[in-house]
Amino acid sequence: MMRDAAQFNPLDASDSRVTRPAFWGALPERWTSEVEETLVCCHVWQETHDVKSFFLRSPQGRTFSFEPGQFLTLELEIDGEAINRCYTISSSPARPHTLSITVKRVPGGKVSNWLHDNLRPGVSLRVLGPAGEFTCARHPAPKYLFLSAGSGVTPLMSMSRAHHDLAEDRDIVFVHSARTPDDIIFARELELIASSLANFRTSFVCERVGARTDWSGVTGFLSLPLLKLIAPDFMEREIFTCGPAPYMKAVRDLLDEAGFARERYHEESFSFETLTAEAEAPVEQPPADSSVETASFKITFAKSRREIQCGAQQTVLDAARQAGVRLASSCSQGMCGTCKVKLVSGQVEMKHSGGIRQREIDQGMALLCCSKPLSDLVVDK
Ligand SMILES: Cc1cc2nc3c(=O)[nH]c(=O)nc-3n(C[C@H](O)[C@H](O)[C@H](O)COP(=O)(O)OP(=O)(O)OC[C@H]3O[C@@H](n4cnc5c(N)ncnc54)[C@H](O)[C@@H]3O)c2cc1C
């Protein structure tokens, strides 16, 4: 006998219309961007006026395995232009069926605004990763201090969520800086975690009060006296910091002033401007009588028909920049994949940080920002 809709009970497992979500029962296979390059957006959540979280899942129902603090690289095409950007996974690795990225709109920014305006449930994205070494999982310690500002909260949020989900008994102080109280990302969830873990404390520092009249928290900037007030034992903690470049410099300066040991300090920059500026600084040439390897190789850019010389100790991207050859690049650290090219011939020594798939390497692709020539090269550019 057919049961009609009124009699349908979603908890009645004997009813054939009760479909079990894919994640019930045995854990499905792990997702890897080597095998399945796209993920599909399944939920969008407005965190603050200019920040959204995008929840992604594998179309095959695969689960995700990553270390809290790691990031993904989105490989997008916007207005016909291939464009890559990295976004930290903000969700907890202990909830492996979906993952989330949390994106702040950057005024004039191509990708952050595209994601805010176009990424909605059902939209697919090409994704590479996870990658990255900024994770407390690799630096176990009894006490942590998490310091973040703006969207730099995301890796530390993933670490905090993981500690919460796994009921880890670590002593964590999380100090997040924001422009105004309305700009604090994850404020409620951080307070919730703090209310359910005895050894987890949060503190918010706002530049100014903004439109809120009920802000009783700290205003101003993080300083050494303020840090001493919030976490008097900060010198005993393993410190993880993420935020805009000026914020991280201020944190480094105050920790240096306090004499904090650099070995227990870990930071991640979201801003490639600083990284790229460092990469674009004039490359120090070895002195004439140096025994440093001075071999040089010919690099041919097949499509633009340019030929340049590249020293054996130089990356191809640096040599191209010095010779005035314009190539798309972003992080200069082998992370983002923007400078990925096909090598038509020749060999390179490549030290990447997750910006390329093994399958792509096997197919003769390389990231020019972290590749030094081992022979003459012909590049499909
Ligand atoms: C490892 C890592 C993790 C990250 N995680 C996160 C995260 O969790 N959340 C997050 O929100 N962000 C994160 N980021 C930053 C993110 O990758 C993007 O850099 C950010 O979203 C801005 O990208 P966009 O394309 O919107 O801006 P872009 O288009 O790159 O522009 C950035 C700025 O440069 C200006 N600009 C662009 N082109 C020019 C030009 N030709 N001349 C002058 N100015 C110009 C723009 O106006 C804008 O102000 C992360 C970055 C890294 C490296």
Side-chain angles (χ1 to χ4, degrees), residues 102-168:
T102 301
V103 181
K104 185 176 169 68
R105 268 192 199 270
V106 173
K110 278 188 191 154
V111 172
S112 57
N113 289 293
W114 186 92
L115 292 170
H116 272 249
D117 297 337
N118 297 283
L119 187 54
R120 52 183 64 95
V123 174
S124 293
L125 286 178
R126 261 174 67 87
V127 175
L128 176 64
E133 297 180 357
F134 181 68
T135 169
C136 59
R138 298 188 190 185
H139 302 279
K143 286 175 158 197
Y144 291 107
L145 173 62
F146 294 166
L147 299 174
S148 67
S151 57
V153 70
T154 52
L156 302 165
M157 191 63 193
S158 180
M159 296 182 210
S160 302
R161 283 171 163 161
H163 276 99
H164 183 234
D165 286 345
L166 299 173
E168 288 266 3

Side-chain angles (χ1 to χ4, degrees), residues 71-72 83 85-89 101-113 151-152 154-155 268-273 275 331 335:
F71 63 87
L72 299 173
I83 182 162
R85 290 286 184 275
C86 303
Y87 290 99
T88 304
I89 303 170
I101 56 170
T102 301
V103 181
K104 185 176 169 68
R105 268 192 199 270
V106 173
K110 278 188 191 154
V111 172
S112 57
N113 289 293
S151 57
T154 52
E268 179 151 87
S269 172
F270 280 3
S271 144
F272 286 149
E273 287 135 45
L275 299 174
C331 73
M335 283 159 60

